[in-house]
Amino acid sequence: MDFIRQLGIRESQHGVSTGTQWLGSKGPVIESYSPVDGSLIGAVVSADKAAYDTVVTRAMEAFPVWRMWPAPKRGEIVRQVGEALRRKKEDLGRLVSYEMGKSLQEGLGEVQEMIDICDFAVGLSRQLYGLTMHSERPAHRMYEQWHPLGAVGIISAFNFPVAVWSWNSALAWVCGNVTIWKPSEKTPLCGIAVQHIIAEVFAANQVPEGVCCLVQGARETGEWISHDTRIALVSATGSTRMGKALGAAVAARMGKSILELGGNNAIILSQHADLDMALIGCVFGAVGTAGQRCTTTRRLVIHEAVYETFKERLVKAYTQLRIGNPLDTANHVGPLIDKDAVQNYLAAIAQCRQQGGRFAVEGKVLEGKGYESGCYVQPCIAEADNEMAIVQHETFAPILYLMRYTTMEEAIALQNGVPQGLSSSIMTLNMREAEQFLSHAGSDCGIANVNIGTSGAEIGGAFGGEKETGGGRESGSDAWKAYMRRQTNTINWSDRLPLAQGISFDL
Ligand code: NAD
């Protein structure tokens, strides 16, 4: 496994860094086992409270220096980070695949997303535009400008172990902020590898220590961040359960948060769809990353006229899926992240059956050669009702629920009839249906696609969802505004002091 060494990962390492320097700490040791083959890849010492406090102090010291670097100069650092990631794409993509279990294609794709957001942020570093308004008072100029916030805490989930960090960091840095990242405790080595890549670029450019910090740890470390009044913005990606606790903690101290939480995404399959194309979109959406994407297709809402034929085609496609080592590009589906995830999958299948679901493709844990880690499962399909408790819940595994509809109003109501609101799509060649789905009376999700599945967003758009998905937006479009504070400035260049709204005040 040359790629592990190439990325600077050893058997055991510190998990706390202020940029180029690693700090000692006495926090719990996190061992990282690959779900691919069950091997121990390496161990990381997580942050204790003293090391965490040192990191935040360094970050706060770096902020006043870093924010005065011109934004395009900060952008130049991000450009070099993008170049370093290009050089390391193959190795880092392999590590993502090996530590998290997604296919090599998807691991490489995740690193490509990091490169793409760096490119985007470089352009942004020469923009960050504020508006100019017309004052109602003579000889006054009014405009708004955007200032950095300070320290940005990034708490990320295991399923995108590196890309989510880059969406936040690349934007946060060009905006003039410093970052403190707590990766998922399930994928700590991806965090170590990224920090090594950054350290080289930061050292070569004398970037102040404290701009790019890493604190490894589990939930408690995340709680230190959410309660820390020194951290202006917390961008957290993970389950809705985590987001509810974290959102309340950050709001209680009047901090800002970006919440990117669970999804329960549906595709509406119309009788007017191109069924060949739709089949690929539905299967990839449901089984890609073994159903562990926030945007995974969990529900298929199918028109009654094509329900039976499409179900048959889906079942056939599922029998052709190759499940196995994700580093082998011949395989379509890799493992779940760990055995707890396998237990959740089995529990969801049992609940589905108990609540009246009927399985068209049965689920099971795979055994035998190549499946020794115990994390490989059969993607399954159940016919179910939207109201069933298990269907309303996001199970992070490849379980697809089928349901039928008659009218488009009914289909949209089913699509929207869950607590989550991340991604949605319609497969149709009928323009009226597509527009209805995209109208104010259509999908209530943050992402609504036509003739594309629910997963696989591009960095150019703002990414995020509504309702229990948390309302946050990251990545492209004007998502950068969440990393800055807006200031309205009015300048009086006259020799009088007229008051707004015509109020007179004379002495
Ligand atoms: P998780 O909620 O278990 O953990 C996510 C992160 O939050 C981890 O780093 C964890 O240590 C930390 N954490 C947990 N409890 C915390 C608390 N109370 N305070 C502070 N930090 C805390 O999620 P997971 O299992 O790693 O990831 C899967 C979930 O993430 C799914 O629900 C998925 O939909 C969601 N997700 C959402 C998006 C999105 O953009 N909407 C993207 C990826 C994943």
Side-chain angles (χ1 to χ4, degrees):
M1 300 270 176
D2 272 357
F3 63 92
I4 296 175
R5 263 206 328 277
Q6 298 291 348
L7 291 164
I9 290 167
R10 299 184 309 274
E11 261 172 49
S12 175
Q13 49 249 297
H14 295 304
V16 183
S17 166
T18 52
T20 65
Q21 294 165 11
W22 294 87
L23 309 187
S25 78
K26 295 196 171 69
V29 174
I30 308 173
E31 292 185 324
S32 179
Y33 290 90
S34 168
V36 174
D37 56 13
S39 308
L40 176 65
I41 320 174
V44 172
V45 183
S46 52
D48 55 23
K49 191 66 173 40
Y52 168 81
D53 278 327
T54 305
V55 163
V56 182
T57 303
R58 290 274 179 84
M60 297 316 294
E61 286 164 4
F63 175 56
V65 182
W66 179 239
R67 72 180 166 195
M68 296 312 289
W69 281 38
K73 198 174 160 202
R74 294 193 299 260
E76 166 57 17
I77 302 301
V78 173
R79 187 190 70 75
Q80 292 184 35
V81 168
E83 288 300 305
L85 287 166
R86 279 183 173 87
R87 289 193 294 275
K88 295 282 186 183
K89 180 174 171 182
E90 188 68 32
D91 287 340
L92 187 57
R94 265 179 200 280
L95 177 66
V96 168
S97 176
Y98 191 53
E99 190 178 35
M100 185 273 155
K102 62 176 65 177
S103 76
L104 179 58
Q105 285 304 312
E106 293 174 80
L108 294 170
E110 191 170 339
V111 183
Q112 187 57 46
E113 261 190 75
M114 302 174 86
I115 295 166
D116 293 343
I117 195 70
C118 286
D119 288 353
F120 179 89
V122 176
L124 193 61
S125 72
R126 291 184 183 270
Q127 299 176 50
L128 305 175
Y129 300 133
L131 297 172
T132 302
M133 304 87 177
H134 289 269
S135 170
E136 66 188 45
R137 289 168 280 184
H140 278 55
R141 185 163 71 84
M142 190 157 69
Y143 73 106
E144 67 184 19
Q145 57 175 340
W146 295 86
H147 295 297
L149 290 172
V152 175
I154 303 166
I155 296 176
S156 56
F158 78 86
N159 66 329
F160 277 90
V162 290
V164 165
W165 167 82
S166 68
W167 296 351
N168 284 284
S169 298
L171 262 56
W173 293 337
V174 297
C175 291
N177 301 297
V178 296
T179 57
I180 300 166
W181 179 26
K182 191 204 86 60
S184 165
E185 60 275 33
K186 295 175 189 171
T187 50
L189 298 175
C190 284
I192 300 285
V194 167
Q195 193 73 14
H196 281 306
I197 295 171
I198 300 307
E200 257 181 63
V201 175
F202 276 34
N205 290 277
Q206 288 92 46
V207 175
E209 204 61 26
V211 170
C212 173
C213 301
L214 175 74
V215 285
Q216 298 270 6
R219 177 165 138 188
E220 189 187 22
T221 315
E223 287 171 345
W224 294 338
I225 292 176
S226 63
H227 288 97
D228 195 330
T229 50
R230 295 170 293 179
I231 299 182
L233 168 68
V234 184
S235 176
T237 303
S239 57
T240 295
R241 178 192 48 73
M242 175 280 285
K244 283 184 176 169
L246 181 137
V250 178
R253 63 173 175 84
M254 298 292 184
K256 292 176 194 276
S257 58
I258 298 175
L259 298 176
E260 300 280 353
L261 312 176
N264 192 351
N265 320 292
I267 294 179
I268 297 175
L269 185 89
S270 149
Q271 73 275 35
H272 304 298
D274 173 336
L275 293 186
D276 294 337
M277 198 174 82
L279 185 69
I280 298 171
C282 294
V283 177
F284 178 73
V287 309
T289 325
Q292 300 171 106
R293 285 190 182 208
C294 49
T295 51
T296 289
T297 306
R298 308 210 175 274
R299 299 174 297 136
L300 264 189
V301 184
I302 309 174
H303 190 270
E304 57 185 1
V306 291
Y307 184 92
E308 290 300 333
T309 43
F310 198 75
K311 184 178 86 178
E312 249 170 61
R313 294 188 66 180
L314 267 177
V315 170
K316 190 160 171 238
Y318 268 51
T319 60
Q320 289 163 359
L321 289 176
R322 282 188 299 274
I323 306 161
N325 187 330
L327 289 160
D328 177 346
T329 49
N331 289 324
H332 299 108
V333 183
L336 292 179
I337 181 70
D338 55 23
K339 289 189 182 151
D340 287 347
V342 174
Q343 287 311 315
N344 289 340
Y345 157 88
L346 290 173
I349 289 174
Q351 285 173 47
C352 178
R353 196 166 274 125
Q354 205 179 21
Q355 292 165 20
R358 299 163 306 280
F359 279 84
V361 175
E362 294 284 341
K364 63 174 181 209
V365 181
L366 301 177
E367 289 170 355
K369 194 165 161 36
Y371 300 137
E372 290 86 353
S373 71
C375 297
Y376 292 86
V377 300
Q378 168 66 49
C380 58
I381 302 177
E383 298 184 85
D385 293 330
N386 208 43
E387 293 71 32
M388 284 163 49
I390 193 65
V391 176
Q392 294 281 313
H393 172 82
E394 178 200 44
T395 304
F396 226 46
I399 305 174
L400 178 65
Y401 301 113
L402 307 187
M403 51 202 79
R404 62 177 87 210
Y405 77 90
T406 311
T407 65
M408 187 45 63
E409 287 71 22
E410 196 190 332
I412 291 171
L414 285 168
Q415 134 71 47
N416 292 344
V418 289
Q420 309 82 354
L422 181 51
S423 187
S424 60
S425 83
I426 187 168
M427 298 285 184
T428 183
L429 299 179
N430 180 311
M431 178 255 211
R432 286 185 179 152
E433 283 185 344
E435 291 293 337
Q436 186 179 353
F437 173 75
L438 298 174
S439 75
H440 289 341
S443 164
D444 65 1
C445 291
I447 297 167
N449 296 330
V450 176
N451 293 327
I452 300 176
T454 53
S455 63
E458 298 179 23
I459 62 96
F463 182 87
E466 303 300 329
K467 304 193 295 189
E468 287 196 357
T469 303
R473 291 296 184 278
E474 278 176 4
S475 201
S477 185
D478 64 352
W480 61 270
K481 289 180 176 168
Y483 299 81
M484 303 199 84
R485 60 186 169 87
R486 184 196 306 246
Q487 186 175 67
T488 303
N489 308 112
T490 310
I491 299 162
N492 174 6
W493 55 279
S494 74
D495 56 2
R496 292 162 187 271
L497 192 67
L499 300 178
Q501 293 88 43
I503 294 169
S504 68
F505 182 82
D506 289 323
L507 290 177

